[in-house]
Amino acid sequence: MRVRGRSFFLVRDPSSVPLSRRRLRDLITQWDLHLDEDSETALITTTSELVTNGVVHGTGTVLTVGVHADLGRRRVLIEVYDDSLALPHRRAAGLYAESGRGLLLIDQLAIRHGAERAGLGKRVWAEIAIPRQPRTRHRLGFRPCQAARSVARRLSAPLRPPTYPPGKAA
């Protein structure tokens, strides 16, 4: 199972929304995730919406943001914790309203999403699909037993005489 996870804290302030996007991009780069344009847009937009909801409707001074990439299932889970017990619900947004469309956006971008009470607050989350990730030497390094067996097989294999192209001898 190839899972990566990280949590970080944000002050419950509107300036934390762009900061959350930067932190997400840093994690994507650090984990060497290969995203297409659709999955990157979905991740960034969903993170913005979840953090914005925590800033606007949450209580307390701090938000906790969790990002978990499950490469085997090809999913990234974004979760935001705040101190409010009030669960989010969809609202009908007027034509010119500046808010009220966040959950509708998340519903369209995420594979699954939800909210539940957690401890003294709530957890609002969404799962976003990501493309199949290429295997790299870096990722193979996370399986030392498999790498050791592979090396042992190569070392214990019988030696083959070198082959030369036709017309060329050693």
Side-chain angles (χ1 to χ4, degrees):
M1 178 175 5
R2 299 173 304 172
V3 177
R4 310 227 185 348
R6 183 77 48 91
S7 295
F8 53 91
F9 301 102
L10 298 170
V11 176
R12 196 174 67 81
D13 183 78
S15 65
S16 292
V17 177
L19 179 59
S20 70
R21 291 191 296 261
R22 276 195 302 278
R23 296 291 298 268
L24 178 66
R25 283 190 177 103
D26 290 346
L27 287 175
I28 289 168
T29 301
Q30 181 181 2
W31 292 340
D32 195 26
L33 291 181
H34 298 273
L35 303 177
D36 56 18
E37 187 177 342
D38 292 340
S39 58
E40 183 174 4
T41 300
L43 272 171
I44 299 297
T45 304
T46 300
T47 301
S48 291
E49 291 301 326
L50 292 176
V51 171
T52 299
N53 281 343
V55 167
V56 173
H57 302 291
T59 59
T61 57
V62 175
L63 299 174
T64 303
V65 179
V67 181
H68 309 279
D70 186 338
L71 304 181
R73 292 182 57 227
R74 296 173 36 201
R75 303 239 179 358
V76 174
L77 171 69
I78 309 292
E79 51 189 358
V80 176
Y81 295 86
D82 67 52
D83 293 341
S84 172
L85 290 172
L87 296 177
H89 61 281
R90 232 182 246 174
R91 297 183 299 161
L95 185 60
Y96 298 106
E98 292 185 17
S99 64
R101 293 180 188 85
L103 287 178
L104 178 64
L105 267 174
I106 291 170
D107 190 44
Q108 296 300 310
L109 297 172
I111 297 170
R112 301 181 323 142
H113 65 91
E116 61 255 348
R117 289 186 176 88
L120 299 174
K122 71 175 175 288
R123 168 184 173 250
V124 183
W125 58 273
E127 271 188 354
I128 305 298
I130 60 173
R132 182 177 308 280
Q133 300 297 300
R135 290 217 182 254
T136 62
R137 289 180 189 219
H138 173 73
R139 289 210 178 93
L140 291 175
F142 287 112
R143 298 182 180 192
C145 292
Q146 183 180 358
R149 282 193 300 270
S150 177
V151 168
R153 269 194 310 272
R154 288 185 181 186
L155 291 176
S156 64
L159 293 176
R160 293 184 223 145
T163 58
Y164 299 100
K168 297 199 177 194

